[in-house]
Amino acid sequence: MFAPKKQVKKDNVTKALLDNAYPENTGIEKLERKIILHRQNGNVEICDTVQLQGKKKIEITLFTAVKPESFSANDITWRQGKMTVSHLKIVSVTEEDQLDSSIKKRWGKLWRIELAGEIKESGNWKLNFDFGRK
């Protein structure tokens, strides 16, 4: 178990504007990502808030080098902890088979996590990573 030498009580929050990271034709007017480290329990939250031109389908792909034990539409579990998703759904978790040799050599296997949802003009989604540190 992780035991920090010095307990810091204040959470860390980092924000980034990402709207210029996407081409204009995506319809993203504003995209803000906030990453929060909850120092008391070690959890990490990634919160995205978006303003769009009309209704858009949102698709996010994540990769993990640790094989998931189980998943549902709202969470995925590993032996070490879990990720909970709000305002999007986990639509699939599959072993990635399109890896080049250098990635295979470094990582071995990777699993692809596909998230999807729909946003009408504005909305948000959140990923909460809980690794059980109390």
Side-chain angles (χ1 to χ4, degrees), residues 18-33:
L18 302 174
D19 32 284
N20 290 329
Y22 296 90
E24 278 188 43
N25 65 357
T26 61
I28 296 174
E29 293 179 350
K30 182 177 181 180
L31 176 58
E32 180 183 79
R33 175 161 294 156

Side-chain angles (χ1 to χ4, degrees), residues 30-96:
K30 182 177 181 180
L31 176 58
E32 180 183 79
R33 175 161 294 156
K34 184 167 49 171
I35 302 171
I36 306 164
L37 169 61
H38 297 280
R39 291 191 179 273
Q40 293 297 315
N41 59 19
N43 290 1
V44 175
E45 283 181 60
I46 300 173
C47 306
D48 288 350
T49 303
V50 66
Q51 291 178 343
L52 304 168
Q53 297 169 357
K55 188 176 183 180
K56 300 287 182 190
K57 184 174 180 181
I58 305 297
E59 296 175 337
I60 298 174
T61 301
L62 306 173
F63 289 93
T64 177
V66 178
K67 182 178 181 179
E69 292 183 348
S70 64
F71 77 97
S72 68
N74 298 103
D75 60 54
I76 185 166
T77 304
W78 296 269
R79 185 174 48 88
Q80 301 87 344
K82 74 178 191 174
M83 176 185 74
T84 304
V85 179
S86 301
H87 308 291
L88 291 176
K89 300 291 183 201
I90 300 170
V91 294
S92 69
V93 177
T94 56
E95 186 175 335
E96 179 59 45

Side-chain angles (χ1 to χ4, degrees), residues 64-66 99 101-111:
T64 177
V66 178
L99 301 175
S101 60
S102 64
I103 293 175
K104 282 182 184 179
K105 184 177 179 180
R106 175 173 242 165
W107 292 99
K109 294 183 179 179
L110 290 177
W111 285 263

